Amino acid sequence: LFHCICPLLCFQGFLLERRNVLFIMADDLRTSLGCYGDPVVKSPNIDQLASKSQVFLNAYAQQAVCAPSRTSMLTSRRPDTTRLYDFNSYWRVHSGNYTTMPQYFKSRGYYTMSVGKVFHPGIASNHTDDYPYSWSIPAYHPASFRFEKEKMCKGEDGKLHANLLCAVNVTEQPGGTLPDMESTDEAVRLLKSRANDDVPFFLAVGFHKPHIPFRIPQEYLSLYPIDQMTLAPDPNVPKLLPPVAYNPWMDVRKRDDVQKLNVSFPYGPIPKDFQLRVRQHYYAAVSYMDAQVGRLLSALGELGLADSTMVVFTSDHGWSLGEHGEWAKYSNFDVTTRVPLIFYVPGVTTIDDWLGESTFPFVDVLTQSENVVELVDVFPTVSYMAGLRAPEPCPDISFQEKLCTEGDNLAHTFRHRERGKDAEAISFSQYPRPADTPQVNSDLPDLKDIKVMGYSLRSWDYRYTLWLGFNPQTFQVNVSDVHAGELYMLAGDPGQDENVYSDSDHSVMMTKMASLKPC
C-alpha cells in the first residue's frame, strides 16, 4: 500500500501510465520570470506552475533565433545536424528525415495538436507546420496574426504606424482580439474536446509574445510605471567584444518608431528614455503572455486533466534588453541563449494531498536544478516522463538516423537531489555571421552568405566562444581558422562583459567541440 500512495517512491511505476502532454512555448522569452529571480516582472501564473514543477535554472538554446532553435528542439538535433541556420530550408529535404517529438508521440498512439507558433511557419516547416508528419490535424494559427506586421499602432500624430512599441486598445483591433488570446481560446476548446477521450493527447501551444512588435493590451503597461523602470546593468558595448560577436538588431531598427530615432549603425545607442520604454513594453508583454498561460492552466484544472497531464513550459531563446548595447536575439550571450524550462509531472513533481486540496501546498525549493541543460534535452525527457521510451542517443554521424537524440534524458534529475555543480555539464550554442564586422545581414545571414560560425560553450562557471571559418557549401568548419574568441569567467563577471580570451591556448575548447561537430 505504501508503494502505491507515494509517488516519489513509485516513480518507475508511474511511468507505466501514459500521461497527456501540454507543451507550452513562448517566443523570445528570456528568464524574466519571478520563478527565475527577476525582481521586476509580474508572472504569477508561470510562477505558480513552477511551484509545482521541476525548474531548470540553467537551460540553453542551441541557436538564438526562431526557426533553427525550434527545429533543433523538436527534432533533438543540433543546428549542425539539421543544417538550418536561417529560415530557408526544411530539414526533411535539406539534411535528414528526422522524427520530431510530436511525430514520435503520434506514432505511439497519441492525438497530437498544434496551436499558434510551435514550428517556425513557412519554408522551415514545409508551409504546413510539418503536418501530417507531426500532427493528427492541421495546425491552428490565429487569424489576427496577419495584422502583426501591419501598421496597427497609433502614433502621437494620430496615424497608424508599424512601431516596435504598440500597446493597443484590444476592442479597437480587428476582430476585437489579439493572436495569443485567439490561440488560448482554441487551445481551451481542444482541451475540452479531449477531456473525456481515452486516447492520450499531445497539445503544443506556441504563444507569440513577447516577440516584437509589442502589440499587447495597453492595460499591462500599468504594471510597470515608466518612472520605476531601469536601464540594463551593462548598457554599453564591452571594450573587448570582438566585432564579429556583435548583433546590430536590424529587426528592431526597422520599426517606424525606432527609425525616427536616427540611431547610427551599428553601435549607436538607443536614447535612454526610449530604452526604458522598450524594457517596459517587453515586461508588459511577458505579463500578458503569462495571463494566457494562466487561462490555459486554469482550464486544464477545471476539466479534471491536471492529474493526468504533464505540462512543459519553455521558450525558443531569450532576448537582449540593452545588455552589451544590444537588443533582440542573434548572439551567444546568456541573455539570448538562456531560457526557462519547467516540467510539471503529476505524481512526480507534486505530492497530492490525499484528503483533498491543501490550503497551503508544500513548495519544495529543492526541485530547482542549477546544472546546465539544453533544449535538445527536451525531446527525450518529455518522452520518458510521459511514459514512453526515450529515443536512443545518436551515433557520431546521424544524417541517416530518423529517430535518435543529440541531447540527454534528464529524468534522473527528477528523483535525485543535485550534489553540487556538475563541472562536466556543458551546453553548446552557435551563431552564424557573414563577416568579421557588423553588416546589415549579420543578425540573420542566408546560408550562402555565412562565412564565420561562433561556437559557444557554457558551463556553470564560464562561457567560451570561438568564431571559426565556415564553408556554407560543405557545412565544414575550419578549426584552425580562428577569427576571434571570447572567454567570460562567470564568478566575477556574471553579465559577460569582461572578455579575458587569449588565443594562446584553446585546446580544451577544441577537444569539447570535437564531439559536437558532425564529420
Side-chain angles (χ1 to χ4, degrees):
L1 178 62
F2 178 74
H3 288 281
C4 292
I5 66 173
C6 182
L8 291 179
L9 292 181
C10 285
F11 183 76
Q12 295 291 345
F14 269 78
L15 289 177
L16 297 177
E17 298 179 16
R18 291 192 175 186
R19 296 182 176 89
N20 302 314
V21 178
L22 174 58
F23 187 82
I24 307 172
M25 195 187 325
D27 198 351
D28 288 15
L29 177 67
R30 55 197 258 159
T31 52
S32 291
L33 298 170
C35 53
Y36 280 80
D38 190 295
V40 176
V41 75
K42 295 174 176 62
S43 53
N45 295 288
I46 298 170
D47 295 347
Q48 178 178 243
L49 173 66
S51 73
K52 301 175 183 293
S53 301
Q54 171 87 333
V55 178
F56 293 93
L57 296 177
N58 285 294
Y60 295 88
Q62 275 46 80
Q63 187 178 327
V65 71
C66 302
S69 177
R70 289 165 184 263
T71 297
S72 174
M73 182 190 342
L74 292 168
T75 62
S76 195
R77 311 291 184 102
R78 301 181 187 278
D80 278 347
T81 304
T82 66
R83 291 180 167 175
L84 179 66
Y85 312 108
D86 54 21
F87 294 176
N88 302 323
S89 65
Y90 179 43
W91 75 92
R92 294 188 191 276
V93 175
H94 185 63
S95 56
N97 189 19
Y98 310 139
T99 299
T100 70
M101 177 167 60
Q103 180 184 3
Y104 181 56
F105 274 81
K106 183 183 176 187
S107 72
R108 296 305 186 270
Y110 276 69
Y111 191 81
T112 58
M113 303 162 282
S114 174
V115 172
K117 186 178 178 182
V118 179
F119 284 101
H120 191 82
I123 296 173
S125 57
N126 202 34
H127 299 281
T128 64
D129 295 79
D130 199 44
Y131 174 80
Y133 291 99
S134 289
W135 311 113
S136 302
I137 55 176
Y140 170 88
H141 289 283
S144 61
F145 184 74
R146 65 179 288 261
F147 301 104
E148 197 75 353
K149 294 185 179 181
E150 295 186 13
K151 295 183 177 182
M152 305 299 297
C153 321
K154 277 188 179 179
E156 295 176 355
D157 57 5
K159 298 180 181 179
L160 293 178
H161 300 273
N163 286 345
L164 175 69
L165 311 182
C166 191
V168 298
N169 182 337
V170 176
T171 63
E172 297 176 354
Q173 297 300 293
T177 190
L178 292 173
D180 285 349
M181 292 179 173
E182 281 193 283
S183 290
T184 305
D185 291 342
E186 176 65 10
V188 170
R189 187 191 71 79
L190 289 171
L191 284 176
K192 290 179 179 177
S193 74
R194 307 305 303 174
N196 297 313
D197 201 302
D198 292 335
V199 177
F201 66 80
F202 180 105
L203 172 60
V205 181
F207 291 115
H208 288 91
K209 296 304 166 212
H211 194 289
I212 67 170
F214 300 126
R215 188 165 76 105
I216 58 172
Q218 58 193 11
E219 54 267 28
Y220 285 92
L221 289 182
S222 66
L223 297 174
Y224 305 96
I226 195 66
D227 60 354
Q228 295 180 23
M229 299 306 296
T230 59
L231 299 176
D234 51 350
N236 300 315
V237 180
K239 293 181 179 179
L240 297 179
L241 181 71
V244 70
Y246 185 79
N247 70 281
W249 36 279
M250 288 301 299
D251 58 344
V252 171
R253 292 175 186 272
K254 291 177 181 177
R255 308 304 297 184
D256 289 355
D257 49 353
V258 179
Q259 285 192 11
K260 289 182 180 179
L261 302 174
N262 196 25
V263 177
S264 62
F265 181 91
Y267 297 113
I270 291 176
K272 291 182 179 179
D273 61 337
F274 199 87
Q275 289 190 41
L276 293 174
R277 293 183 65 203
V278 176
R279 290 170 65 86
Q280 175 199 37
H281 280 70
Y282 182 89
Y283 277 107
V286 173
S287 292
Y288 161 59
M289 182 272 299
D290 174 82
Q292 308 316 306
V293 173
R295 290 176 56 204
L296 196 52
L297 296 178
S298 178
L300 193 74
E302 290 172 0
L303 292 168
L305 292 168
D307 292 336
S308 58
T309 304
M310 176 169 65
V311 181
V312 182
F313 179 84
T314 190
S315 173
D316 51 359
H317 45 71
W319 211 79
S320 294
L321 281 170
E323 295 87 358
H324 316 109
E326 295 180 317
W327 301 87
K329 46 243 186 184
Y330 316 120
S331 82
N332 282 320
F333 284 120
D334 274 17
V335 286
T336 66
T337 56
R338 187 178 172 218
V339 295
L341 182 58
I342 299 170
F343 282 78
Y344 163 78
V345 186
V348 176
T349 62
T350 58
I351 301 178
D352 297 332
D353 178 1
W354 299 104
L355 300 179
E357 180 66 29
S358 172
T359 303
F360 301 106
F362 176 66
V363 177
D364 188 356
V365 71
L366 294 177
T367 56
Q368 295 181 338
S369 171
E370 293 188 349
N371 280 322
V372 172
V373 300
E374 306 176 276
L375 287 184
V376 285
D377 301 337
V378 168
F379 183 169
T381 307
V382 172
S383 301
Y384 189 85
M385 299 307 294
L388 304 181
R389 183 185 297 276
E392 294 295 320
C394 291
D396 289 342
I397 302 175
S398 63
F399 295 108
Q400 302 303 316
E401 296 289 333
K402 292 183 179 180
L403 176 64
C404 65
T405 174
E406 293 183 346
D408 293 323
N409 181 358
L410 304 176
H412 67 281
T413 67
F414 289 76
R415 59 181 187 266
H416 296 302
R417 301 299 187 202
E418 290 180 353
R419 301 180 183 274
K421 300 287 197 309
D422 181 358
E424 294 301 313
I426 297 287
S427 79
F428 294 91
S429 301
Q430 61 189 98
Y431 211 88
R433 293 284 190 241
D436 287 333
T437 56
Q439 311 291 315
V440 293
N441 65 335
S442 287
D443 293 343
L444 193 58
D446 290 340
L447 173 62
K448 63 181 176 58
D449 297 324
I450 297 172
K451 301 294 189 296
V452 187
M453 188 70 74
Y455 289 96
S456 192
L457 300 183
R458 175 61 157 85
S459 76
W460 71 271
D461 62 342
Y462 68 84
R463 178 173 286 285
Y464 198 163
T465 305
L466 286 181
W467 296 90
L468 304 173
F470 182 83
N471 186 327
Q473 281 78 42
T474 62
F475 299 95
Q476 292 299 303
V477 60
N478 185 348
V479 296
S480 63
D481 182 20
V482 181
H483 290 234
E486 300 168 77
L487 175 60
Y488 306 100
M489 305 308 296
L490 303 177
D493 182 26
Q496 301 167 17
D497 297 295
E498 303 294 331
N499 182 11
V500 297
Y501 170 80
S502 169
D503 59 7
S504 60
D505 182 12
H506 54 260
S507 60
V508 173
M509 171 72 163
M510 301 315 301
T511 299
K512 291 183 181 296
M513 277 185 53
S515 63
L516 170 67
K517 181 68 183 166
C519 298

